């Protein structure tokens, strides 16, 4: 599956980077037609945003590692 790692140095930067990445992956999800998006906080200021079959199409869920 497609995934992107994000590192941010402020809450505002994290919010912007996550939103931009989710929007990018939404385009890919529409092409696939069966993948959702999972945003996982992996450490302070670090996130992974991924397309996954574990999330229903059309949804974006958040998790903590």
């Amino acid at each position: 599956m497609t995934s992107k790692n994000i590192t941010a140095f402020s809450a505002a930067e994290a919010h912007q980077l996550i939103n931009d990445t989710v929007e990018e992956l939404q385009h890919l999800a529409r092409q696939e037609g069966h993948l959702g998006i999972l945003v996982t906080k992996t450490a302070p200021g670090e996130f992974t945003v991924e397309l996954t079959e574990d999330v229903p199409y059309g949804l974006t869920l958040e998790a903590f590692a």
Side-chain angles (χ1 to χ4, degrees), residues 13-14 17 32 34 40 46-47 52-53 59:
E13 182 181 25
L17 290 171
E32 294 291 326
H34 66 280
T40 305
E46 295 184 15
F47 305 85
T52 178
E53 293 177 342
L59 293 180

Side-chain angles (χ1 to χ4, degrees), residues 2-55:
T2 301
S3 69
K4 297 211 173 201
N5 295 318
I6 294 171
T7 299
F9 299 99
S10 71
E13 182 181 25
H15 184 74
Q16 185 62 51
L17 290 171
I18 290 169
N19 283 344
D20 291 347
T21 304
V22 166
E23 186 175 314
E24 180 182 331
L25 292 185
Q26 283 173 335
H27 293 291
L28 294 173
R30 281 193 286 275
Q31 292 173 2
E32 294 291 326
H34 66 280
L35 302 172
I37 299 171
L38 180 63
V39 179
T40 305
K41 184 173 185 174
T42 55
E46 295 184 15
F47 305 85
T48 299
V49 182
E50 63 185 317
L51 287 177
T52 178
E53 293 177 342
D54 296 333
V55 176

